[in-house]
C-alpha cells in the first residue's frame, strides 16, 4: 500500500526562495550526514547522525542526504495537512484503538524483514529497492516493521500505526521515495474467552455486531478459506477464521464507506457523480505476513481501485512476539493514495509543498473540498540515451559486497537512474520514463533511452535552467553508473 511525497529532492525549496539557477539543497538542522553517496555502487562515509541518533555506515549505505533530510518533516502529524486530515478521518472509525504516530523510521533488518518472515532472497531486501544505512540497518519500507514490537508490548487489543516509509522507486506523479502508510491490527486473547466460558469465535462475533452497519453493495464471491489460494493456518480453526475475517471485513468496509462518502459530499459538485452508487469488493491476495489475505477495491469514477491490503496475522509472528495466545487481523493503507482521492490532488509532490496556495486549501475543521490547482506550468521534455557498461543488465543492482537481490557483476538498475534524477533535479523532475531500449546485434551492448519531464510546481522553468539540470543529470549518469552517453 503506498503513495509517496516532496520539496525538491525532498527538501529543496522550490518557488523563488532559492535562486532558480542553483537549486541548492536546504538541509534540515536536525540532520547531519557526511559524504553521503547513494547509488547502488556503494558509499564510503563512516557514520551519519539523524536527530541525535548516530549510526555506523558500511558498503551497504545507499541513502542520500535528501532522503535523510525528509525524516524531520513528519507530514502526517502537521496540523491541517491533507495527510493529517486523512489519517484522522481513518482513526475516527477505530474508536478505542491505541495510536502510534511518532515511531522512528530507522530500523533493523530484523524488524523490517526477518520478524515478518521475508525470505533471505526476497526482492524487497535488495539495495535497488531499499535504503540501507548499513548491512543491518534500513529506513523502514513499511509500517509493519513495528508490528512485532507492538504485539510484544501487548499494550492494547488493537492499534493503529501511521508513519513515513521509504523505498527507492520510479518517478511519476503518484510515486515518490518517501510516502506514508497506516496499518492497524485487532487481536483477541484465547484465555479471555475461556474465562468467560465462551469460544473465541463467539467473542469475536459479539464484537462484529458492534461495528456500524452500512448499505453499500459488497462483492465477496470467494470462500474465506481456500486450501491453495487462501489457506487456513495451522492451529487456527475454521470457525475462528470465519469470525476474524468477518470482523476484519466489516471494520474495513466501515472505513472505506466513511472515506468515500466524505469524498462524495465534497462541496464541489463535480467531484463525484451524486447518483453513482458506491460499490466495494473483496479480492483474494497474498502477503507473507497474513493468511488468508484480501485486498479491498472500490468502484470509483468508472473503475475498480485497490484501496488496502489485509489478512489474518501469521501466528508465527504473534508467537515470536511472545503473545502465542493471541489471534487477529491486520491491514495496511497508503495515506497519499487516499488523500489524493479525497481531495483530487493530481501530483504527489504537492504534499511536500510549503506554498500557502496549497496548504491554505485544507482544514481539519472544515468539510473536505476538492483541491483547486493554483496554476499549471508548462512541461519540458528532454531525452537521454546511453550505452550500458559491458556485463551490465537491466535487471540487477550492483553491490560492492554481495547483497540480497543484487548481482556480483557490474550491473544496472532503473532505480539508480531515478535516484540520480531526484538528487540532481529535485522535485523539478515530474516524470522519468524508459522510451526505448535495444541490444546491438553485433556487439551485444544494450542501449537505453529515458525521457525526462521537467515541470516546476510553482513557476515556469527557463530553458537555461532546464538545460543546466539536464546536463548535470547526464554527467551524473556517467559518473555514478559508468554509462556511455550517445
Amino acid at each position: 500500500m503506498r503513495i509517496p511525497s516532496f520539496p525538491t529532492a525532498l527538501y529543496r525549496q522550490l518557488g523563488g526562495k532559492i535562486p532558480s539557477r542553483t537549486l541548492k539543497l536546504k538541509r534540515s538542522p536536525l540532520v547531519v550526514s557526511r559524504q553521503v553517496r547513494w547509488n547502488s555502487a556503494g558509499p564510503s562515509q563512516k557514520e551519519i547522525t539523524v536527530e541525535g541518533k548516530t549510526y555506523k555506515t558500511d558498503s551497504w549505505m545507499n541513502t542520500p542526504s535528501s532522503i535523510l533530510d525528509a525524516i524531520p518533516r513528519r507530514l502526517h502529524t502537521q496540523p491541517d495537512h491533507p495527510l493529517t486530515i486523512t489519517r484522522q478521518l481513518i482513526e475516527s472509525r477505530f474508536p478505542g484503538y491505541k495510536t502510534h504516530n511518532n515511531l522512528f523510521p530507522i530500523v533493523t533488518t530484523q524488524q523490517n524483514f526477518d520478524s515478518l518472515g521475508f525470505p533471505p532472497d526476497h526482492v524487497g531486501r535488495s539495495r535497488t529497492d531499499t535504503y540501507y544505512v548499513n548491512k543491518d540497518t534500513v529506513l523502514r519500507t513499511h509500517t509493519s516493521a513495528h508490528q512485532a514490537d507492538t504485539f510484544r508490548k501487548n499494550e492494547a487489543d488493537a492499534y493503529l500505526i501511521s508513519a513515513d516509509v521509504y523505498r527507492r522507486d520510479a518517478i511519476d506523479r503518484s510515486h515518490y521515495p518517501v510516502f506514508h502508510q497506516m496499518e492497524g491490527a485487532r487481536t483477541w486473547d484465547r484465555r479471555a474467552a475461556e474465562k468467560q466460558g465462551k469460544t473465541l469465535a463467539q467473542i469475536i462475533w459479539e464484537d462484529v455486531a458492534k461495528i456500524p452497519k452500512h448499505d453499500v453493495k459488497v462483492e465477496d464471491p470467494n470462500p474465506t478459506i481456500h486450501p491453495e489460494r487462501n489457506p487456513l493456518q495451522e492451529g487456527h480453526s475454521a470457525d475462528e477464521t470465519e469470525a476474524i475475517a468477518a470482523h476484519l471485513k466489516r471494520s474495513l468496509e466501515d472505513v472505506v464507506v466513511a472515506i468515500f462518502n466524505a469524498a462524495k459530499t465534497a462541496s464541489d459538485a463535480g467531484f463525484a457523480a451524486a447518483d453513482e452508487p458506491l460499490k466495494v469488493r473483496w479480492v483474494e491476495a497474498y502477503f507473507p505476513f497474513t493468511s488468508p489475505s484480501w485486498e479491498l477495491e472500490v468502484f470509483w469514477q468508472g473503475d475498480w481501485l485497490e484501496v488496502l491490503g489485509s489478512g489474518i496475522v501469521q501466528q508465527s509472528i504473534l508467537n515470536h512476539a511472545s503473545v502465542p495466545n493471541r489471534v487477529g487481523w491486520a491491514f495496511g493503507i497508503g495515506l497519499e493514495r487516499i488523500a489524493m482521492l479525497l481531495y483530487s490532488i493530481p501530483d504527489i509532490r504537492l504534499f511536500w509543498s510549503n506554498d500557502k496556495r496549497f496548504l491554505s486549501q485544507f482544514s481539519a475543521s472544515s468539510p473536505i473540498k476538492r483541491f483547486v490547482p493554483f496554476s499549471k506550468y508548462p512541461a519540458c521534455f528532454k531525452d537521454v540515451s546511453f550505452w550500458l557498461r559491458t556485463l551490465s543488465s537491466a535487471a540487477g543492482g550492483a553491490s560492492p559486497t554481495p547483497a540480497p537481490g543484487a548481482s556480483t557483476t557490474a550491473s544496472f538498475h532503473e532505480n539508480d537512474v531515478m535516484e540520480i534524477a531526484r538528487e540532481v533535479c529535485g522535485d523539478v523532475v515530474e516524470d522519468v520514463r524508459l522510451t526505448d531500449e535495444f541490444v546491438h546485434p553485433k556487439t551485444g551492448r544494450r542501449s537505453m533511452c529515458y525521457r525526462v519531464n521537467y515541470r516546476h510546481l510553482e513557476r515556469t522553468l527557463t530553458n537555461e535552467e532546464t538545460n543546466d539540470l539536464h546536463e548535470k543529470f547526464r554527467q551524473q549518469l556517467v559518473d555514478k553508473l559508468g554509462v556511455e552517453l550517445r
Side-chain angles (χ1 to χ4, degrees):
M1 310 327 88
R2 33 191 320 160
I3 279 220
S5 326
F6 343 142
T8 168
L10 264 188
Y11 237 42
R12 293 183 175 162
Q13 302 296 321
L14 302 176
K17 293 184 178 180
I18 288 179
S20 59
R21 292 188 182 183
T22 58
L23 289 173
K24 292 183 179 178
L25 180 68
K26 182 178 181 180
R27 293 188 184 277
S28 161
L30 298 177
V31 178
V32 178
S33 59
R34 303 189 184 98
Q35 302 175 1
V36 175
R37 295 176 186 266
W38 36 269
N39 65 310
S40 58
S44 59
Q45 81 273 21
K46 301 299 183 182
E47 64 180 30
I48 59 169
T49 300
V50 182
E51 294 191 309
K53 300 177 185 290
T54 299
Y55 301 88
K56 298 293 184 180
T57 62
D58 58 23
S59 60
W60 285 66
M61 171 66 173
N62 66 345
T63 306
S65 57
S66 57
I67 296 298
L68 295 173
D69 287 343
I71 291 175
R73 293 295 299 276
R74 295 181 177 87
L75 299 183
H76 65 292
T77 65
Q78 294 185 9
D80 292 326
H81 193 280
L83 293 179
T84 300
I85 298 171
T86 301
R87 171 181 62 79
Q88 293 170 336
L89 172 61
I90 299 173
E91 288 176 346
S92 73
R93 307 311 302 173
F94 291 102
Y97 282 54
K98 184 176 179 60
T99 58
H100 305 271
N101 295 322
N102 291 290
L103 298 175
F104 199 66
I106 299 180
V107 299
T108 66
T109 53
Q110 196 283 330
Q111 290 173 297
N112 200 74
F113 300 121
D114 300 339
S115 70
L116 298 167
F118 278 72
D121 60 348
H122 193 280
V123 65
R125 294 179 183 260
S126 171
R127 293 173 68 251
T128 60
D129 284 35
T130 296
Y131 289 111
Y132 278 81
V133 174
N134 56 52
K135 182 177 180 292
D136 301 313
T137 309
V138 298
L139 272 66
R140 63 184 167 219
T141 62
H142 44 208
T143 51
S144 297
H146 304 285
Q147 186 181 94
D149 292 337
T150 306
F151 283 143
R152 185 174 293 106
K153 290 180 180 179
N154 202 19
E155 296 175 334
D157 292 334
Y159 69 80
L160 297 171
I161 296 174
S162 297
D164 43 323
V165 298
Y166 302 77
R167 295 180 194 168
R168 301 180 90 221
D169 211 339
I171 296 178
D172 58 39
R173 292 160 69 92
S174 63
H175 290 86
Y176 205 79
V178 187
F179 55 104
H180 298 77
Q181 286 184 338
M182 175 188 284
E183 86 162 41
R186 173 67 163 96
T187 63
W188 292 264
D189 193 327
R190 296 180 187 276
R191 296 171 300 183
E194 294 172 0
K195 289 180 180 179
Q196 297 181 46
K198 299 178 180 179
T199 66
L200 182 62
Q202 287 176 312
I203 295 292
I204 297 173
W205 280 114
E206 290 174 2
D207 288 338
V208 172
K210 301 173 186 177
I211 301 172
K213 305 293 190 298
H214 64 76
D215 58 1
V216 171
K217 181 181 178 181
V218 178
E219 298 180 16
D220 191 8
N222 297 307
T224 299
I225 302 165
H226 188 281
E228 296 177 355
R229 301 193 307 265
N230 246 347
L232 178 70
Q233 293 185 46
E234 183 178 353
H236 289 192
S237 73
D239 288 346
E240 292 171 348
T241 299
E242 290 286 353
I244 297 171
H247 194 280
L248 175 158
K249 291 179 177 180
R250 299 298 86 76
S251 297
L252 298 181
E253 288 166 9
D254 177 71
V255 171
V256 167
V257 169
I259 290 171
F260 285 87
N261 280 343
K264 294 182 73 172
T265 57
S267 59
D268 188 334
F271 186 81
D275 58 351
E276 180 185 9
L278 184 63
K279 294 185 292 183
V280 301
R281 71 181 181 189
W282 290 97
V283 179
E284 292 176 334
Y286 168 78
F287 304 109
F289 26 82
T290 57
S291 184
S293 304
W294 303 274
E295 290 176 344
L296 181 56
E297 297 182 348
V298 175
F299 192 75
W300 181 249
Q301 297 182 343
D303 198 9
W304 286 102
L305 179 69
E306 177 195 333
V307 176
L308 57 83
S310 62
I312 297 177
V313 179
Q314 286 285 359
Q315 195 60 40
S316 59
I317 295 175
L318 293 162
N319 293 347
H320 293 152
S322 302
V323 285
N325 294 304
R326 287 196 170 272
V327 294
W329 57 263
F331 79 95
I333 191 169
L335 293 181
E336 276 91 349
R337 185 177 186 83
I338 299 303
M340 292 175 85
L341 291 169
L342 278 174
Y343 293 102
S344 195
I345 295 172
D347 193 317
I348 203 164
R349 294 175 297 169
L350 283 165
F351 288 110
W352 292 85
S353 175
N354 287 318
D355 194 310
K356 291 182 179 179
R357 292 173 295 178
F358 175 74
L359 295 175
S360 64
Q361 297 192 40
F362 310 99
S363 172
S365 60
S366 302
I368 290 175
K369 298 179 181 180
R370 187 178 187 179
F371 168 68
V372 179
F374 40 83
S375 191
K376 181 68 171 179
Y377 297 100
C380 180
F381 295 93
K382 291 187 178 294
D383 291 350
V384 57
S385 299
F386 51 81
W387 294 103
L388 299 184
R389 289 179 294 173
T390 305
L391 301 180
S392 292
S393 164
S399 283
T401 57
S407 171
T408 56
T409 62
S411 57
F412 169 87
H413 195 283
E414 188 171 86
N415 282 349
D416 290 335
V417 176
M418 305 300 170
E419 202 70 29
I420 292 171
R422 287 193 178 98
E423 191 70 5
V424 173
C425 309
D427 283 354
V428 172
V429 60
E430 177 178 290
D431 189 81
V432 178
R433 295 182 183 273
L434 179 67
T435 58
D436 186 45
E437 65 175 309
F438 75 95
V439 177
H440 194 284
K442 293 184 178 180
T443 66
R445 298 184 72 191
R446 182 179 296 274
S447 171
M448 318 286 285
C449 179
Y450 285 88
R451 178 156 296 166
V452 185
N453 176 10
Y454 295 93
R455 191 202 307 267
H456 203 298
L457 290 172
E458 299 168 4
R459 60 180 176 80
T460 299
L461 289 169
T462 66
N463 287 331
E464 182 182 2
E465 288 177 295
T466 307
N467 289 338
D468 182 55
L469 283 173
H470 194 64
E471 184 55 38
K472 290 178 180 177
F473 174 48
R474 284 163 47 89
Q475 189 57 50
Q476 285 295 300
L477 290 173
V478 174
D479 293 346
K480 301 296 184 182
L481 303 184
V483 301
E484 180 185 337
L485 296 176
R486 297 187 62 195

